[in-house]
Amino acid sequence: MTCELRPTAVAMMLLLCPPLVFCGPTLQPLDPDPTFAGDGSIVIEIGVHDRAYKGFVEPSGEIVVFGESDNGNASNLEGIMQRIASDGTPTTLSRFDAAGFGCSVPRSFATAVRLSGGGYIGAGYVQESCGGIPRYFNALELTDSGVLVEEYDRLPFANQLAYIWAIGEQSDGRIVAAGFRSTSGFDNDTYDIALARFTMGGELDLTFGTSGTFTFDLASGLDWTDTMLIDSSDRILVVGYGTNAMGDRDVLVLRLTADGALDTTFGTGGVFQFDFAGFHDGATGIAQDLGGRLLVAANVRSAEDAREAMLLGLTETGMLDPGFSGDGMAPIILGGSNDAVSDITIGPGRLIYAVGPTYVGGTSAEFYDMAVTVVRPDGTPDARFNNGLPQVMPFDASLGLQADYPSSVALSQD
């Protein structure tokens, strides 16, 4: 299947100088912070194939990373939770496999959420047999130190494929998970956006959607999400892409009510759909600014081989906001000719931090380097950060030519 690229080979973490604070006599904001592992970056090798999907910076300065690892055999995939001290020293590693059925079956943490009452939920999928299918929505509640509290109800949907790619907590403590389900194995055309809600005790909440779940199929093709936002009214915003009737992919933003129905006051019947130029488009991140404006990180194409990273500003009612960059659209410059944004977050001063991969020196995946940039609330680059230019950073050169692909961004409280 051809979905958004993800980090491969090693689990990676990079720490940058904080906003408007000098890390040393010659360092500027967005320079790698030498107080973290010596050069601002760390490479953690757990198994043969390791991937970091979601990271959090705790108030103490410690970092918590969720992802997956295997020993070279994908059937032995484990969900991992790795803690890293504020100086870049790896500390506690917690591993969660799904051994059973007399064979090795995989479990993955593709996302996580920090709970308001402390602790985390790591979520992704678990395989339920030796044959590859079925795979179920799966979430584990963990303590801060990575000790299992409970496993949430495994959710099969159509008893084929079902992965959680985003997870969040509503104000009453109930947990919403979003991802995809298939109705025919690995056939991409049967992938639909899927959500479920769980009680605080980890049981499927039957008051949500239809018997605890919600699914969305745009036009009988591949539909996808890996990002979700729960707003201050507990409404659920899901972003990704949908395949339209012409076979092209469009940016999708769905807004659901708190209890899992499309919110008809948003977009068209609860759906914002955006086609940039008739080629494959998709969204990978969402944040909400003051006043309710939604900022959507999108990757669009003006031609089949010309990808561009972009911020879309939407009104709270799900329309392009002309108050953002004049027409609701602002480019994200990451430094190359083929850029993609993978995540955004809003920091102090309403500044928008965006990360993603950029091609440097070639056009194949191994030429990807990580890039980060800071954008003002009006969609223009902020000159206080690297003179308004993106900071492009390869990881450990001793690993050889590799794809450096960031998947999430988090800010420390200092």
Side-chain angles (χ1 to χ4, degrees):
M1 80 188 218
T2 56
C3 298
E4 296 298 327
L5 295 175
R6 294 290 178 180
T8 58
V10 293
M12 298 176 290
M13 178 62 65
L14 183 88
L15 197 69
L16 304 175
C17 289
L20 302 182
V21 176
F22 289 88
C23 296
T26 62
L27 298 180
Q28 303 291 326
L30 287 193
D31 283 345
D33 183 351
T35 68
F36 181 84
D39 64 357
S41 68
I42 185 173
V43 176
I44 302 172
E45 296 185 75
I46 299 168
V48 175
H49 302 117
D50 306 314
R51 300 169 181 87
Y53 286 122
K54 187 72 173 180
F56 302 87
V57 183
E58 295 188 330
S60 65
E62 291 182 284
I63 295 166
V64 180
V65 177
F66 286 82
E68 62 187 26
S69 176
D70 69 47
N71 61 2
N73 181 347
S75 295
N76 298 326
L77 191 67
E78 301 174 294
I80 62 103
M81 173 182 172
Q82 174 73 66
R83 294 188 69 89
I84 303 167
S86 58
D87 65 358
T89 303
T91 57
T92 306
L93 171 64
S94 302
R95 309 169 76 150
F96 302 90
D97 62 18
F101 307 99
C103 63
S104 296
V105 291
R107 164 179 276 130
S108 171
F109 287 160
T111 188
V113 63
R114 172 120 175 106
L115 297 172
S116 58
Y120 290 90
I121 294 176
Y125 75 87
V126 65
Q127 191 168 299
E128 280 279 331
S129 78
C130 301
I133 293 174
R135 296 179 181 178
Y136 291 172
F137 263 34
N138 187 236
L140 303 183
E141 184 176 341
L142 310 171
T143 66
D144 284 345
S145 58
V147 176
L148 177 64
V149 176
E150 62 182 327
E151 179 176 5
Y152 282 22
D153 283 350
R154 297 184 179 188
L155 188 57
F157 284 94
N159 213 40
Q160 295 292 302
L161 299 178
Y163 290 31
I164 298 173
W165 282 102
I167 193 163
E169 181 182 14
Q170 292 183 313
S171 61
D172 62 2
R174 286 184 283 191
I175 301 299
V176 179
F180 80 95
R181 67 91 190 258
S182 77
T183 56
S184 182
F186 294 91
D187 179 0
N188 289 4
D189 286 340
T190 71
Y191 287 16
D192 298 327
I193 292 172
L195 285 85
R197 187 168 71 183
F198 301 91
T199 67
M200 294 177 64
E203 297 176 344
L204 182 65
D205 182 356
L206 299 181
T207 67
F208 179 82
T210 302
S211 300
T213 67
F214 169 89
T215 58
F216 180 83
D217 180 9
L218 181 63
S220 300
L222 168 61
D223 304 316
W224 182 267
T225 181
D226 55 17
T227 308
M228 177 182 66
L229 170 72
I230 297 176
D231 71 13
S232 59
S233 299
D234 277 337
R235 296 173 299 193
I236 304 156
L237 289 133
V238 178
V239 302
Y241 59 80
T243 303
N244 63 31
M246 301 299 293
D248 177 36
R249 295 178 190 168
D250 296 339
V251 170
L252 283 184
V253 182
L254 312 180
R255 190 167 77 187
L256 280 62
T257 65
D259 287 325
L262 282 172
D263 181 353
T264 56
T265 67
F266 181 85
T268 302
V271 180
F272 170 81
Q273 184 175 348
F274 177 77
D275 183 0
F276 183 66
F279 298 92
H280 283 351
D281 305 319
T284 56
I286 185 169
Q288 191 160 29
D289 200 357
L290 295 176
R293 174 187 289 161
L294 298 170
L295 295 169
V296 176
N299 298 307
V300 302
R301 296 178 187 268
S302 56
E304 187 62 37
D305 59 350
R307 184 175 57 181
E308 303 172 50
M310 181 175 289
L311 270 178
L312 303 178
L314 305 185
T315 65
E316 194 173 11
T317 58
M319 304 295 176
L320 283 173
D321 184 355
F324 178 75
S325 194
D327 58 2
M329 299 180 283
I332 299 176
I333 307 301
L334 293 175
S337 59
N338 190 348
D339 295 336
V341 59
S342 51
D343 195 22
I344 58 171
T345 192
I346 297 178
R350 300 172 59 206
L351 296 177
I352 305 154
Y353 294 76
V355 297
T358 183
Y359 278 135
V360 177
T363 57
S364 55
E366 64 265 26
F367 289 96
Y368 277 141
D369 281 342
M370 171 186 162
V372 60
T373 194
V374 182
V375 179
R376 294 167 57 83
D378 64 0
T380 59
D382 193 316
R384 296 171 295 177
F385 295 80
N386 202 35
N387 296 315
L389 300 175
Q391 180 71 276
V392 179
M393 294 155 289
F395 281 86
D396 191 348
S398 67
L399 297 172
L401 200 59
Q402 60 182 19
D404 298 331
Y405 196 109
S407 59
S408 72
V409 58
L411 301 180
S412 66
Q413 295 186 3
D414 58 1

